[in-house]
Amino acid sequence: MSWERTELISSQKANTSSEYSCDTVKKPIEIYVFIDPMCPECWSLEPYLKKLSIEYGRLFTLRPIISGASRPLNHDNFDQPKRLREIWERTASRTGMSCDGDLWLENPIHSPITAYLAIKAAELQGIRYGKVFLRKVQECLFLKKMDISKESVLLECAKAAKLDIQEFRNDLHSDSARKALQCDYKLNREMEIDYMPTMVFFHKNIEEQGIKISGLYPYEIYVRVLSEMTEHLPIPSQHPSLEDFVQRFGVVGTKEVSVVYNWTLEKAEREMKKLQLKQIVEKIPAKHGTFWQFNEQR
C-alpha cells in the first residue's frame, strides 16, 4: 500500500558514520522504521536492518519512529506477564534473536514511557547516536532482563552509546524529548500504523508516494522495494571483514552474522568461535541463540 509522505519534524543531525560521510553522496531514499523497543518482533528485524545498511546504506537514511506506546492495548498487556512471556519465548525460538521472557515474571516493566523519552533524548544528539542508544536499550531488555524504565539503566545505555551524559540527563526531562515523542505518535496516526514492525520507504521526491511494509519479510523483499524506488537493481556494497563488523556494532548475535554474511547458523557460530579463540570477542550468555561482544580491552 502507498502512503503520502509526511514531513518528519525533529532536531536530529545528519548521519556521520564513516561509510556514509561523503558529502557528494546523495541518498535518494528515506526509510521510516516504526518500532516498539519492547516488541520482540521489532528486535527480530535487526539482522535485516544491519544487512540492508551494509549493502545499500549509501542509498537511504534510516529513521526509527517510536510506535506502540501510544496504544492503550500495549499497556493492558503489562497486566498479563504470563502471556507476554509466552510471546517472547515463541518469537525467540522462531527468529533466533534471543529475548528472555522470564523478565515478565522476575522483573516486569510497568511503564515504558521513560525509555521512549530517553530514546528521543538520545536522538537530540544526532540520529546516529540515537540508533546506537536504541540498540543498547534493546540489549539490556532482551538479553539482560533489565528494567529499561529505570533511569539508572538508561544512563548505562547512554554511556555505552558514548553520549554526552550531562546533555542526555537534561534532555531526558525536557520538553524537546516529549515533543519529539508526540511527533512520533502523530506519524503513527497519520500513517495508520497498526502492526509492528512497519517500514515505510519514501523517495527524495516529496511528490511521490511511499511504500509501506508491515511485519517481517524475507530480506529480498526489502531489496526489491529499493530496486523499485530507484528504478534499477542496486549493486550491494562489499561486506566488511567479520572482525570489523563486530567492532562496528559492539554486540552482535549469531543470527545477525548468519543473515549479513549469508551463512548457515552453524557456520556463523564456527566463525565467531574462531574470533573468540583469538580473544577478539567474548560470548554473552543468552537464553536463545548466541550473542558476542567485541573485546575492546585486547
Side-chain angles (χ1 to χ4, degrees):
M1 185 177 294
S2 297
W3 293 89
E4 296 294 343
R5 181 187 181 93
T6 303
E7 199 64 34
L8 181 63
I9 303 171
S10 76
S11 58
Q12 295 168 334
K13 302 175 185 177
N15 187 333
T16 56
S17 54
S18 58
E19 68 270 37
Y20 309 144
S21 60
C22 180
D23 292 336
T24 60
V25 175
K26 303 297 183 182
K27 297 186 181 183
I29 308 298
E30 186 167 40
I31 305 175
Y32 293 0
V33 184
F34 291 84
I35 62 169
D36 183 340
M38 298 179 63
C39 168
E41 292 284 339
C42 297
W43 174 236
S44 302
L45 182 64
E46 281 285 290
Y48 304 104
L49 293 181
K50 280 183 171 58
K51 186 176 179 70
L52 204 63
S53 295
I54 287 171
E55 294 189 342
Y56 304 106
R58 67 190 186 277
L59 298 175
F60 65 84
T61 300
L62 197 67
R63 295 189 180 275
I65 309 296
I66 300 298
S67 186
S70 60
R71 296 186 179 84
L73 176 61
N74 283 42
H75 294 289
D76 290 343
N77 284 340
F78 291 114
D79 295 326
Q80 304 173 30
K82 291 184 179 179
R83 178 171 177 269
L84 281 170
R85 180 185 183 278
E86 291 174 1
I87 291 172
W88 278 35
E89 295 292 319
R90 188 165 58 247
T91 303
S93 299
R94 174 171 52 83
T95 65
M97 288 294 284
S98 185
C99 46
D100 194 337
D102 290 339
L103 166 81
W104 296 106
L105 301 180
E106 301 171 2
N107 193 26
I109 299 169
H110 298 288
S111 176
I113 188 66
T114 304
Y116 298 139
L117 287 170
I119 292 166
K120 306 317 293 184
E123 288 178 358
L124 294 175
Q125 297 189 33
I127 187 172
R128 179 170 65 92
Y129 286 105
K131 287 188 284 191
V132 173
F133 178 80
L134 169 60
R135 170 69 183 209
K136 296 304 177 185
V137 168
Q138 291 174 308
E139 289 169 8
C140 282
L141 176 68
F142 294 117
L143 302 182
K144 302 177 183 179
K145 295 189 293 184
M146 299 178 75
D147 185 349
I148 59 170
S149 68
K150 292 183 177 179
E151 192 166 324
S152 59
V153 173
L154 296 170
L155 286 171
E156 286 185 30
C157 294
K159 292 174 183 176
K162 296 180 171 58
L163 299 182
D164 182 311
I165 300 302
Q166 187 56 53
E167 184 177 344
F168 174 76
R169 284 179 183 271
N170 295 336
D171 289 336
L172 180 58
H173 303 287
S174 70
D175 288 338
S176 297
R178 283 190 289 272
K179 288 178 180 177
L181 186 58
Q182 289 301 320
C183 177
D184 281 13
Y185 291 170
K186 181 180 178 183
L187 285 171
N188 275 269
R189 293 191 296 270
E190 291 178 346
M191 296 189 185
E192 299 179 350
I193 304 300
D194 54 11
Y195 192 89
M196 293 173 289
T198 290
M199 297 172 66
V200 184
F201 294 69
F202 289 110
H203 196 275
K204 64 180 180 180
N205 182 351
I206 200 168
E207 300 301 323
E208 293 191 14
Q209 292 181 320
I211 298 178
K212 178 181 177 182
I213 303 178
S214 297
L216 289 172
Y217 286 86
Y219 179 70
E220 292 72 25
I221 297 298
Y222 305 117
V223 176
R224 185 184 304 172
V225 173
L226 282 177
S227 300
E228 290 179 3
M229 300 200 79
T230 56
E231 298 183 344
H232 73 282
L233 180 62
I235 299 174
S237 298
Q238 184 176 356
H239 290 178
S241 68
L242 184 57
E243 181 177 344
D244 288 343
F245 172 73
V246 181
Q247 183 175 13
R248 173 185 165 187
F249 290 104
V251 174
V252 299
T254 299
K255 173 68 174 185
E256 294 176 299
V257 174
S258 171
V259 169
V260 169
Y261 290 92
N262 295 319
W263 294 338
T264 63
L265 284 172
E266 291 75 18
K267 181 176 181 179
E269 186 83 6
R270 288 197 302 270
E271 295 300 320
M272 293 306 298
K273 285 182 178 178
K274 291 178 184 178
L275 295 187
Q276 183 184 25
L277 289 173
K278 296 178 181 179
Q279 297 185 334
I280 294 172
V281 301
E282 298 175 355
K283 188 174 182 179
I284 299 176
K287 189 172 184 179
H288 303 275
T290 311
F291 280 75
W292 312 85
Q293 182 166 6
F294 182 74
N295 184 6
E296 296 182 354
Q297 306 301 322
R298 70 186 185 90

